[in-house]
Amino acid sequence: MSSDNRSCPHPFSLLPGDPSLILTTNLNLGDKKLDIMKGISKVMADATGKPEAYIAVSIIDNTALIFGGTNEPAALANMMSIGAISMENNGAVTKGVTKLLEPFGLDAARIYINFFDVPRANVGWSKKTFAG
């Protein structure tokens, strides 16, 4: 067996990778913001099958945002993941995030979530990328 490290994958390349979601909304989530973030993290873990230990969520609330030309309650989000981006998973995340925001006045028709399947080499973590 060769001692050439190029023939063995770097341990980072075997990790489940990063799902992250950044949400911007004009809703004021107040002291429930952390609970909503934790709820979104769980929704993402359930939908993608990835461990919550690798999931990151950021919410910018109470910000200037228009949707459809009005400033009625609305939200925009981007979710990035190394794999696990599919119609079924994306639908589950969209449904779960929307349900978490509806009690704050969000109408289900006023949220967009964009999903991006990111190559391992394009996600940095722990001084490396997930490709190694």
Side-chain angles (χ1 to χ4, degrees):
M1 180 156 219
S2 170
S3 63
D4 184 358
N5 285 340
R6 289 176 293 175
S7 64
C8 299
H10 187 281
F12 283 83
S13 67
L14 303 175
L15 294 173
D18 152 67
S20 60
L21 185 137
I22 300 169
L23 181 124
T24 303
T25 182
N26 55 6
L27 297 169
N28 184 349
L29 303 177
D31 63 356
K32 298 295 182 193
K33 186 173 178 176
L34 183 58
D35 293 337
I36 297 298
M37 292 170 62
K38 288 179 178 181
I40 290 172
S41 181
K42 175 134 179 46
V43 163
M44 291 170 64
D46 291 347
T48 64
K50 294 192 176 195
E52 209 169 348
Y54 287 96
I55 294 175
V57 178
S58 175
I59 295 179
I60 302 161
D61 67 335
N62 205 27
T63 193
L65 173 67
I66 64 168
F67 187 113
T70 76
N71 67 343
E72 296 299 314
L76 302 172
N78 290 314
M79 180 176 152
M80 291 161 262
S81 181
I82 299 170
I85 298 294
S86 68
M87 186 171 68
E88 182 179 316
N89 294 354
N90 300 354
V93 169
T94 301
K95 182 177 182 177
V97 170
T98 303
K99 280 185 163 192
L100 287 165
L101 296 175
E102 284 176 328
F104 296 89
L106 180 72
D107 182 293
R110 293 187 54 83
I111 180 171
Y112 283 150
I113 303 177
N114 298 297
F115 296 89
F116 300 94
D117 194 346
V118 185
R120 298 183 84 74
N122 291 353
V123 181
W125 176 70
S126 195
K127 299 181 185 177
K128 300 181 185 321
T129 69
F130 277 96

